[in-house]
Amino acid sequence: MTHYKTVLTAGFAMFSMFFGSGNLVFPLLIGKEALNQYPIAILGLLITAVLVPFLGLVSIILFDGNYRVYFERLGKVPAFFLIAVILMLIGPFGVAPRCITVAHGGFHLIFPSLSITPFSLLFCLIITALIWSKNRIVDIIGLFLTPFKLGGIVILILFGLWYGAQPIEGAMSSGESFKNAFFTGYLMFDLMAAFFFSSTIVHYLRNHLLEGEDPKTLIKLSISASLIGALLLSLVYIGFVTLGAKYAPNLQDTAPEQLLVAIGGHTLGYFAKPIIAIVLAVGCLATAVILSTLFADFLVQDVTKEKLKRPYAILITMTITFVVSLLGFQKLMIILGNILDVAYPALIALALMNTLDRVMPSKSSHIYTQVMFWGVLGITAGLKVFG
């Protein structure tokens, strides 16, 4: 496999890993709320949903994709607990079950009698089957799931933009639209995911390097793959926010997790709804696959030190995911939103400080990093409690 094909596969896989449940919902919701102010809303979203995660990707790539070393600049014990909390949130206690609720929302719009319990059980079984063989995950996502998902999304965006009406004037000012989109971008969880997705991509690219190649080639290939993923994300976000603004009058009574399928019905006709629902489910599946893998591997490698066999770790992960998914989309968003308001600024500070350390290293840089991280975390927690 040439470097070109390797980087392209990794870039598409990275896009697919990121573009899961929240990414299929919140850009549409932002456009629906921003209406004619959607261009400024796009800018706010791109900052927190593309620029910030890309910063996280680059910063951990500079650490050779080793997220353990990356977080241990805060100290070994804090690093372990921080890694555990993040993997729990993006894994079976947060984003992974949210993927299931979003996929269910799309099908529920077509089949109102379809309950979350059997749907979630089937979804979890499919994830289990896909992650059973660890070495095939990137190829499965990059070569099979992404082209199908991306193709469906592109068709929907193109037809939707062509037939959509001019966005009406809304109550939000440009400043309010920017702020709403900026903070809604937190709910994507993309910065948290970036810390671990990059590790998967770096490992994949390292396995495809030719013997004797310059180690710096790995960094170049990783950043190239990240740029491909970031570009694809940006284009889709722009399209989705615009779609949400154009079709807002038709979406007033539509639940957030059903927006994509509803727009597909208005754009391509009722019979397109099942196809869009499948595209939605595949998008959520691709993200849930990698997130579930990360948490299962954490249980095996970090928590039990290889004492727990990987099949058992997968079963534990999927059992938790199934149970949490039964809470539903809205309850999950309330819980996760409160956590992100506190944690996200501190993680941005960590990414900035670790990147600066690799660009301009100093003996005391780890101390500055710790002061910045805990200081920002304390301020945001205080504002959340007392503000």
Side-chain angles (χ1 to χ4, degrees), residues 25 36 48 88 122 127 168 210 285 311 331 344 346 348 368 376:
V25 173
N36 65 317
T48 49
M88 288 166 65
L122 177 61
I127 295 172
I168 61 176
L210 300 176
L285 179 64
K331 288 183 179 178
Y344 225 74
I348 293 173
Y368 300 142
V376 173

Side-chain angles (χ1 to χ4, degrees), residues 47-364:
I47 292 174
T48 49
V50 177
L51 183 61
V52 168
F54 183 71
L55 169 66
L57 284 170
V58 171
S59 66
I60 204 163
I61 285 170
L62 295 176
F63 281 77
D64 198 31
N66 191 328
Y67 62 81
R68 293 177 181 85
V69 174
Y70 184 89
F71 285 107
E72 282 178 1
R73 286 173 52 77
L74 298 173
K76 287 194 174 183
V77 174
F80 176 82
F81 284 104
L82 186 57
I83 290 170
V85 170
I86 293 175
L87 286 176
M88 288 166 65
L89 289 173
I90 66 174
F93 290 93
V95 179
R98 186 178 71 180
C99 289
I100 297 174
T101 63
V102 171
H104 172 259
F107 281 101
H108 189 261
L109 190 63
I110 307 168
F111 307 106
S113 61
L114 179 63
S115 68
I116 183 67
T117 303
F119 183 89
S120 178
L121 181 60
L122 177 61
F123 210 89
C124 288
L125 290 174
I126 294 173
I127 295 172
T128 301
L130 290 176
I131 68 176
W132 206 259
S133 178
K134 181 179 179 180
N135 293 330
R136 293 289 297 165
I137 290 171
V138 172
D139 284 327
I140 289 171
I141 294 174
L143 296 176
F144 300 104
L145 296 183
T146 300
F148 176 80
K149 176 174 66 174
L150 188 57
I153 289 171
V154 168
I155 291 172
L156 175 60
I157 290 175
L158 292 178
F159 276 89
L161 295 179
W162 181 264
Y163 291 109
Q166 187 67 22
I168 61 176
E169 187 173 350
M172 276 190 180
S173 66
S174 58
E176 290 171 335
S177 296
F178 178 87
K179 180 181 178 182
N180 178 59
F182 183 91
F183 286 105
T184 301
Y186 284 5
L187 294 173
M188 306 284 199
F189 274 88
D190 285 350
L191 176 59
M192 288 186 178
F195 295 135
F196 303 95
F197 287 173
S198 60
S199 179
T200 301
I201 294 300
V202 168
H203 176 75
Y204 172 78
L205 292 172
R206 184 184 290 114
N207 289 340
H208 287 82
L209 285 179
L210 300 176
E211 186 175 350
E213 279 196 89
D214 186 347
K216 291 183 179 179
T217 302
L218 179 62
I219 295 178
K220 294 177 182 178
L221 295 179
S222 300
I223 293 178
S224 297
S226 300
L227 284 171
I228 292 172
L231 176 62
L232 291 173
L233 282 172
S234 298
L235 293 175
V236 174
Y237 288 156
I238 292 170
F240 269 26
V241 173
T242 307
L243 283 180
K246 285 179 173 288
Y247 288 87
N250 306 111
L251 304 172
Q252 295 307 307
D253 299 320
T254 306
E257 65 270 29
Q258 298 176 339
L259 289 174
L260 186 66
V261 175
I263 291 175
H266 287 293
T267 302
L268 303 172
Y270 177 81
F271 293 103
K273 283 187 176 182
I275 298 175
I276 301 301
I278 293 173
V279 171
L280 181 70
V282 169
C284 293
L285 179 64
T287 299
V289 162
I290 187 63
L291 296 178
S292 301
T293 301
L294 288 170
F295 187 78
D297 290 344
F298 177 72
L299 289 179
V300 173
Q301 298 167 10
D302 295 79
V303 177
T304 67
K305 306 298 182 183
E306 306 291 341
K307 293 180 182 178
L308 180 68
K309 299 299 183 183
R310 191 167 183 271
Y312 293 112
I314 292 173
L315 293 177
I316 292 171
T317 301
M318 298 320 304
T319 299
I320 298 172
T321 300
F322 169 73
V323 173
V324 176
S325 71
L326 302 183
L327 290 174
F329 183 83
Q330 295 293 349
K331 288 183 179 178
L332 279 172
M333 284 307 90
I334 293 172
I335 297 170
L336 298 177
N338 288 325
I339 296 172
L340 289 174
D341 286 343
V342 174
Y344 225 74
L347 292 174
I348 293 173
L350 177 63
L352 282 170
M353 296 303 295
N354 278 350
T355 302
L356 287 174
D357 174 64
R358 282 299 186 257
V359 176
M360 298 180 294
S362 69
K363 292 182 179 179
S364 303

